[in-house]
Amino acid sequence: MALTDENLVDVPGMASRWVRLANGARAHYMTAGTSGPAVILLHGGLPGSSGLAGWRFMAPYLGDNGFRVYCPDMPGFGLSDTREEYWPDGMESFVDFIDQFATALCLDEFHLAGNSMGCMNTVNYTVAHPDKVKSFILIAGDIGDVVPEHLTPPAGEFRLTAYDGTREGMRTMMEAIIHRGEAISEDLIDMRYLSARDRMDAHAKFWPTLLQYRRITDWTNENRAARLVTKGRLDRLSTPGLYLYGRQDILTPVEWGYVQEDYLPNVQFFYPDECGHQGQTDRPDLFNPVFLEFFRDGTVSGELADAAGVSDRRPELPLINRSLVSA
């Protein structure tokens, strides 16, 4: 299928939009739904990532079920502003972007979710602005220094995401993060390749700070580091939260989810099967209704929770409602 005139995959139920931020940046986002509570969905951090690439199976579903969904292209990704003054300086700059984006769209309160780098951005934004986040969902990422630095992720196949700038390299990278091969379409590869080609320098500028995200003590700029501290903040939040971590994740294996679960007592964990690093793409049959029930009801029904691999490593939180029948 051919791309649109903006070099986007054409997804029914999603529309391409632009907004001018307070700092002068021209921000691109995809949207779905016309009424109801607002949801912001944050994409991952590999080259070519975007709101559309990350959420094309989720956003139309939520839009059809009573939500207004916004999938922004973060600085350095998607169709983001390519002018150098709007490149990301580091992970903390994404917090500022999200806040300016929400303000520009007059979103005072919203549900928030993110995958991979988007998981980190969801964490960082939520601890910085807990008054604006109604609830959050994390997918296969990192949660900062709330996990002690001496605990490190198990060895995965992160080398497979070393992007060489070619179209075939993009395919290889997609195969590393998406378990369901049929979801890797030719138009998706084309869209991601073209976006990455025009933003390689912007991506390279922030990438080292993503790799250093958990090692706050290595940072020389204490003011920047302070903005990314999660210890004593994320673990104390009363904001309702879920975390889904695929059992077939080959980048950061599922054992890393078990470690994170031990440090987030107020977040309900799930470990869905047949699911890699980009779980919302691999298992929309599970992720879509989990998101819908949680954002709509504040809980997940017992039957759906079981299907989605609700954690048995500790007692379930009240976020699982076994008196409800799934949607």
Side-chain angles (χ1 to χ4, degrees):
M1 183 181 297
L3 300 179
T4 70
D5 58 3
E6 292 181 304
N7 287 328
L8 298 173
V9 174
D10 186 16
V11 176
M14 295 188 77
S16 172
R17 296 287 186 264
W18 299 84
V19 66
R20 182 75 64 182
L21 303 187
N23 67 352
R26 189 167 179 260
H28 177 259
Y29 65 101
M30 300 297 295
T31 187
T34 58
S35 62
V39 175
I40 297 179
L41 303 176
L42 305 177
H43 62 74
L46 294 177
S49 296
S50 68
L52 179 58
W55 299 101
R56 63 196 184 280
F57 298 111
M58 172 77 71
Y61 176 87
L62 292 178
D64 286 343
N65 283 278
F67 289 91
R68 290 175 293 131
V69 187
Y70 303 89
C71 307
D73 292 345
M74 304 301 286
F77 296 90
L79 297 184
S80 61
D81 202 318
T82 57
R83 290 175 289 176
E84 188 170 354
E85 60 265 36
Y86 300 119
W87 293 0
D89 290 326
M91 291 296 291
E92 74 280 5
S93 66
F94 292 131
V95 174
D96 299 331
F97 171 86
I98 297 165
D99 204 47
Q100 287 198 33
F101 175 77
T103 298
L105 295 177
C106 299
L107 305 179
D108 297 325
E109 190 178 47
F110 45 87
H111 302 282
L112 185 63
N115 170 227
S116 193
M117 183 190 78
C119 167
M120 305 175 206
N121 289 332
T122 297
V123 165
N124 295 338
Y125 187 85
T126 301
V127 298
H129 300 280
D131 55 316
K132 297 185 179 182
V133 179
K134 299 174 70 174
S135 66
F136 65 88
I137 302 180
L138 310 175
I139 304 173
D142 214 328
I143 56 175
D145 68 340
V146 69
V147 175
E149 289 185 10
H150 72 275
L151 298 176
T152 57
E157 298 294 331
F158 202 75
R159 60 180 177 81
L160 297 177
T161 63
Y163 180 51
D164 63 3
T166 68
R167 189 180 184 281
E168 284 309 303
M170 182 61 70
R171 182 191 303 277
T172 300
M173 192 174 67
M174 290 297 90
E175 291 171 348
I177 66 173
I178 297 175
H179 184 69
R180 183 167 65 102
E182 60 268 30
I184 306 173
S185 61
E186 296 302 316
D187 54 356
L188 173 68
I189 294 170
D190 286 341
M191 179 180 73
R192 292 189 62 127
Y193 164 71
L194 292 170
S195 170
R197 180 195 64 188
D198 296 337
R199 292 164 180 81
M200 291 297 287
D201 290 340
H203 188 272
K205 182 177 180 181
F206 98 94
W207 184 250
T209 68
L210 184 146
L211 298 179
Q212 296 168 352
Y213 176 54
R214 288 189 60 249
R215 302 194 61 82
I216 298 296
T217 57
D218 288 351
W219 289 55
T220 57
N221 187 320
E222 293 297 331
N223 290 336
R224 295 182 68 187
R227 297 191 64 190
L228 299 177
V229 168
T230 60
K231 183 178 180 180
R233 301 172 73 198
L234 179 61
D235 46 330
R236 296 177 63 183
L237 284 179
S238 61
T239 308
L242 307 182
Y243 199 140
L244 296 95
Y245 209 117
R247 292 185 180 274
Q248 284 73 39
D249 193 327
I250 65 172
L251 264 66
T252 48
V254 67
E255 288 78 11
W256 188 232
Y258 304 157
V259 172
Q260 295 181 67
E261 183 176 12
D262 291 340
Y263 291 91
L264 291 182
N266 300 322
V267 176
Q268 179 63 58
F269 276 67
F270 298 78
Y271 300 102
D273 202 7
E274 295 301 313
C275 179
H277 191 66
Q278 198 175 99
Q280 72 274 21
T281 298
D282 286 327
R283 296 299 308 269
D285 60 311
L286 294 178
F287 280 62
N288 286 0
V290 166
F291 273 57
L292 174 60
E293 286 194 2
F294 187 60
F295 289 158
R296 183 190 63 201
D297 306 327
T299 59
V300 178
S301 59
E303 180 183 1
L304 177 58
D306 290 338
V310 65
S311 177
D312 60 3
R313 300 182 67 253
R314 66 186 188 196
E316 293 176 1
L317 297 175
L319 300 176
I320 305 300
N321 189 338
R322 294 204 171 269
S323 67
L324 289 180
V325 178
S326 61

